[in-house]
Amino acid sequence: MLVRVMGVAAAAVLLLAGCSDDPAPSADGTPPPSAPSSGPSSAPIPTASTPSLTPLPTPSKPWPTPKVTGTPDADAPLANRIRFAIAKQVQVAAGRAASTKVTCPGIENADKPGNHTLTCTVNYAGKTFTGQLTVDAEQYSASYKFTSESVAIVKPKVVDAVQRAASGAAKVTCTMDDVTVVKHTAQGIACDVTTVENAVQPYRAQISGNGQVLVAKA
């Protein structure tokens, strides 16, 4: 009986040894190589460099005054001369010669002696706004003045002014149509300037009644 018990115990020892997960040593006693580590690498990740942009050329000359044609004769009716004077004023302020129509109901009688105040509608390049015309007429002469809270201006003139004011500008973007009518009493036109370092800076262009563009950082 003692021999049988010892035989069972030995068999149990052999069975446990066969189920071990440890790798067996090589014939010369050298331990097997360990598995490679799957942990994260500590090598730095390269970052993309920001490309520099090409600067816009700085305008060397003032914005050109447009040449307005169609001047009436000196002896033309006063109404014709006034309409042309208003149309020229609008085009010069806008910065570009373009088709301009001026309508002032009652202007045909503005040459009669006395003070006349008329409301005029101006259509410049498809954009319309109104203003007030005052006429001081005498028997052989007359003086007149047109004023408006609105002014028409072309986009290239605004971009040109912003480009002059912003150093290192690579791109100028203004939120306006090619021709825009704005109130010179309002906050002006919003523009974004992209610098040569690829940074965006906000600017604002204020338009005066005679079309002068005043630019400042927003």
Side-chain angles (χ1 to χ4, degrees):
M1 294 296 292
L2 178 60
V3 174
R4 292 178 180 175
V5 172
M6 291 180 62
V8 173
V13 172
L14 292 175
L15 180 60
L16 291 174
C19 294
S20 174
D21 290 335
D22 295 335
S26 61
D28 59 357
T30 305
S34 59
S37 173
S38 60
S41 174
S42 60
I45 300 175
T47 57
S49 59
T50 301
S52 58
L53 302 178
T54 303
L56 294 172
T58 303
S60 58
K61 297 181 180 180
W63 185 261
T65 301
K67 183 179 180 180
V68 181
T69 60
T71 306
D73 296 334
D75 58 351
L78 179 63
N80 293 353
R81 286 180 281 146
I82 292 177
R83 279 190 289 258
F84 174 79
I86 296 174
K88 181 178 180 179
Q89 176 183 330
V90 169
Q91 293 176 70
V92 170
R96 178 194 297 164
S99 175
T100 306
K101 182 179 180 180
V102 179
T103 304
C104 307
I107 195 173
E108 303 298 339
N109 298 322
D111 56 348
K112 295 181 178 180
N115 297 321
H116 308 272
T117 301
L118 307 173
T119 298
C120 299
T121 300
V122 178
N123 185 297
Y124 168 80
K127 300 291 185 177
T128 302
F129 63 97
T130 60
Q132 188 176 71
L133 171 67
T134 57
V135 181
D136 183 9
E138 298 181 1
Q139 186 173 1
Y140 298 107
S141 64
S143 61
Y144 44 88
K145 181 180 180 181
F146 175 76
T147 58
S148 175
E149 292 184 356
S150 301
V151 59
I153 195 159
V154 297
K155 187 173 184 178
K157 183 178 179 180
V158 177
V159 172
D160 176 86
V162 175
Q163 185 177 333
R164 294 171 190 270
S167 60
K171 182 181 179 181
V172 177
T173 305
C174 297
T175 54
M176 60 181 296
D177 296 332
D178 184 56
V179 177
T180 298
V181 174
V182 297
K183 292 185 180 296
H184 54 80
T185 55
Q187 295 181 351
I189 298 171
C191 298
D192 284 335
V193 173
T194 304
T195 67
V196 292
E197 290 83 12
N198 215 1
V200 179
Q201 299 176 345
Y203 280 77
R204 190 162 291 277
Q206 185 79 29
I207 315 301
S208 68
N210 61 359
Q212 183 180 4
V213 185
L214 306 176
V215 180
K217 279 189 175 182

